[in-house]
Amino acid sequence: MKLEFFFNIATVFSIITMIIFPSMHNEIFTLYFLLFIFKIKRDGYKKTGYEKYIILVAFTFILSSIGTGDPKILKNIFRVIKIFMLLIFMLQFEFHKEIKKNFMYLFLLIGIYGVVRFKFFPLQESVTRYYSYMKFILDSSVVAFTGFIFSITSIFNEVDKKRRFVALINILIFLYLIIVFQVRATYLAVVVVSLPIMFNKFRNKKYVLATIIGFLIFTGILLKNENDIIVKYTKRIESIGNVKTNSSNLARLHYWESAIKVFKKHPLTGMGYKRFNKSHYSLENKMFEKSFYHAHNEYFAILAETGILGFVAWILLKFKILSVLWKRRKDSYTEFMFYSVLGFEVHNMFQVYLTSRYTYVYVILLLGICGETLLREEQLEDKKLKVLKNMII
């Protein structure tokens, strides 16, 4: 029991640590690796159902290194596999239901910290863009997004009035942060994910109306001194569909076209994992080379760097995660994780979060918390198959 207790405490503090001190992700991995060793030594290893998918990703990514002569590829692949091994480590444990039930208080603290930091000592991405979490504004926005999704699912599922009120406050806080961070991918993710949530929960439409009204009042109070606020954020939203003059959009389109060209040249195994960037590939249009650190789209990056083999393996792993979450969505936390992972994939269409890995570690930490339910269901299905097999034999 002491090991389980330490796992629960370590997970809460690891989430906070990733938000404030993301550079400690290696120390977090080491911590869970040690917990994993102690756990399997005491109770044996529990099969999760993800192992074969992770192995397939590792194998196909390694194939991309053949013929490149680049020793960094294997090191970069190991870093990716570490992310998903963290999930395997966490699935060996059970997260306490009471702690999970009161997670909205953790998100309340995260939200308050985000607002205070943004207003008084923000992190700066550019002259006009500021943020509160991690090391990069796109990572910061994902944190705000998950806080919003947890809160909006909680307000529909929660029966306790006190926790429901806290969930409402969290919705207002995280929506405010999402807007002021100005990350367009998050704007899209909120629309893509919020609509099906509200549609499925439409019987509680009064909470939707209350949330919208409360958000408008709350945001107006916080931003009352910013006279150009409406124009500023309206232009930011309008720029999402501007593919004629917006330099960011034009650059992305050029990167994606170039990724397709690389894929056609190296269709099976790609040009080598994490090599589609200005250090290893020269763009036809030099105007966009300055910010060419990656494809600005995870799927195009994987396709260009690991070919069709790596791309299919990667999609299978992602589909496995989403499909299991979808099947178990009757559990409120698992429902939150399904929509969070779905929204994260929307973000991945405009950024390669594997580059820094901070956000991936954060999402995996959240995902691992709902894992014990998924693990038990996976084991139950295995037992049913074994019984059916014995009956046939």
Side-chain angles (χ1 to χ4, degrees), residues 46-96:
K46 292 181 182 178
K47 181 182 170 185
T48 69
Y50 293 99
E51 292 87 348
K52 58 187 177 184
Y53 296 93
I54 296 172
I55 292 171
L56 183 61
V57 167
F59 177 70
T60 54
F61 276 36
I62 289 171
L63 288 178
S64 75
S65 67
I66 297 176
T68 63
D70 188 349
K72 291 183 179 180
I73 293 179
L74 295 179
K75 183 179 180 180
N76 290 327
I77 292 170
F78 176 68
R79 288 172 174 169
V80 173
I81 300 306
K82 276 175 64 178
I83 296 171
F84 293 97
M85 287 306 299
L86 180 60
L87 178 62
I88 299 295
F89 299 160
M90 294 186 72
L91 292 183
Q92 305 301 311
F93 294 87
E94 287 194 19
F95 198 82
H96 199 283

Side-chain angles (χ1 to χ4, degrees), residues 25-44:
H25 61 94
N26 286 322
E27 286 78 5
I28 289 173
F29 177 84
T30 302
L31 172 62
Y32 281 98
F33 176 69
L34 292 174
L35 287 172
F36 170 75
I37 295 298
F38 288 127
K39 178 68 173 177
I40 62 172
K41 186 176 180 181
R42 189 187 71 181
D43 302 326

Side-chain angles (χ1 to χ4, degrees), residues 12-160:
V12 172
F13 279 98
S14 293
I15 291 170
I16 296 172
T17 300
M18 278 307 302
I19 289 172
I20 303 175
F21 308 109
S23 297
M24 293 187 67
H25 61 94
N26 286 322
E27 286 78 5
I28 289 173
F29 177 84
T30 302
L31 172 62
Y32 281 98
F33 176 69
L34 292 174
L35 287 172
F36 170 75
I37 295 298
F38 288 127
K39 178 68 173 177
I40 62 172
K41 186 176 180 181
R42 189 187 71 181
D43 302 326
Y45 178 75
K46 292 181 182 178
K47 181 182 170 185
T48 69
Y50 293 99
E51 292 87 348
K52 58 187 177 184
Y53 296 93
I54 296 172
I55 292 171
L56 183 61
V57 167
F59 177 70
T60 54
F61 276 36
I62 289 171
L63 288 178
S64 75
S65 67
I66 297 176
T68 63
D70 188 349
K72 291 183 179 180
I73 293 179
L74 295 179
K75 183 179 180 180
N76 290 327
I77 292 170
F78 176 68
R79 288 172 174 169
V80 173
I81 300 306
K82 276 175 64 178
I83 296 171
F84 293 97
M85 287 306 299
L86 180 60
L87 178 62
I88 299 295
F89 299 160
M90 294 186 72
L91 292 183
Q92 305 301 311
F93 294 87
E94 287 194 19
F95 198 82
H96 199 283
K97 290 182 180 179
E98 285 301 313
I99 301 178
K100 188 193 297 184
K101 189 184 295 184
N102 290 287
F103 238 56
M104 66 183 63
Y105 295 107
L106 173 62
F107 275 112
L108 177 61
L109 292 175
I110 293 170
I112 292 173
Y113 168 83
V115 172
V116 171
R117 179 152 199 177
F118 183 83
K119 296 298 287 185
F120 300 106
F121 48 102
L123 297 165
Q124 188 170 1
E125 195 261 346
S126 67
V127 178
T128 59
R129 298 178 70 189
Y130 301 88
Y131 60 103
S132 306
Y133 310 116
M134 295 195 185
K135 282 191 170 184
F136 189 40
I137 196 166
L138 295 176
D139 301 319
S140 185
S141 197
V142 172
V143 175
F145 174 78
T146 55
F148 169 72
I149 295 301
F150 182 87
S151 305
I152 200 171
T153 53
S154 295
I155 205 168
F156 290 121
N157 296 325
E158 187 57 63
V159 294
D160 182 81

Side-chain angles (χ1 to χ4, degrees), residues 219-231:
T219 304
I221 293 171
L222 287 176
L223 301 175
K224 62 181 180 179
N225 295 321
E226 300 186 39
N227 298 323
D228 63 339
I229 190 67
I230 296 177
V231 175

Side-chain angles (χ1 to χ4, degrees), residues 144-319:
F145 174 78
T146 55
F148 169 72
I149 295 301
F150 182 87
S151 305
I152 200 171
T153 53
S154 295
I155 205 168
F156 290 121
N157 296 325
E158 187 57 63
V159 294
D160 182 81
K161 290 184 179 180
K162 184 178 179 181
R163 283 197 287 262
R164 189 185 294 165
F165 177 75
V166 174
L168 177 60
I169 297 299
N170 284 350
I171 289 174
L172 305 179
I173 291 174
F174 287 115
L175 266 176
Y176 164 74
L177 290 174
I178 286 170
I179 289 175
V180 296
F181 289 165
Q182 302 182 62
V183 175
R184 296 175 300 169
T186 307
Y187 294 167
L188 286 174
V190 167
V191 174
V192 169
V193 175
S194 297
L195 290 179
I197 292 175
M198 291 185 179
F199 178 79
N200 290 331
K201 310 289 184 179
F202 195 70
R203 61 184 181 276
N204 291 327
K205 57 185 177 182
K206 59 183 180 181
Y207 298 125
V208 178
L209 182 60
T211 299
I212 294 172
I213 295 173
F215 163 67
L216 292 174
I217 295 172
F218 184 76
T219 304
I221 293 171
L222 287 176
L223 301 175
K224 62 181 180 179
N225 295 321
E226 300 186 39
N227 298 323
D228 63 339
I229 190 67
I230 296 177
V231 175
K232 179 180 178 181
Y233 295 118
T234 299
K235 285 185 176 180
R236 188 65 182 164
I237 293 171
E238 288 176 348
S239 71
I240 294 174
N242 183 355
V243 295
K244 292 183 177 180
T245 59
N246 185 275
S247 59
S248 178
N249 293 346
L250 291 172
R252 279 180 166 83
L253 290 174
H254 187 67
Y255 300 151
W256 301 345
E257 289 173 2
S258 300
I260 294 297
K261 291 178 181 178
V262 171
F263 167 66
K264 289 179 179 179
K265 191 175 180 180
H266 308 278
L268 281 180
T269 59
M271 67 179 292
Y273 175 67
K274 212 171 180 181
R275 283 172 59 87
F276 184 64
N277 52 59
K278 60 184 177 182
S279 298
H280 302 95
Y281 182 81
S282 181
L283 295 173
E284 291 179 6
N285 191 332
K286 303 301 178 183
M287 183 176 125
F288 302 122
E289 210 156 71
K290 184 178 178 181
S291 59
F292 181 40
Y293 299 105
H294 46 67
H296 289 267
N297 179 303
E298 180 184 280
Y299 305 103
F300 280 118
I302 296 296
L303 189 64
E305 294 170 353
T306 67
I308 192 65
L309 296 179
F311 181 78
V312 170
W314 190 249
I315 293 297
L316 287 174
L317 175 58
K318 293 295 188 76
F319 181 78

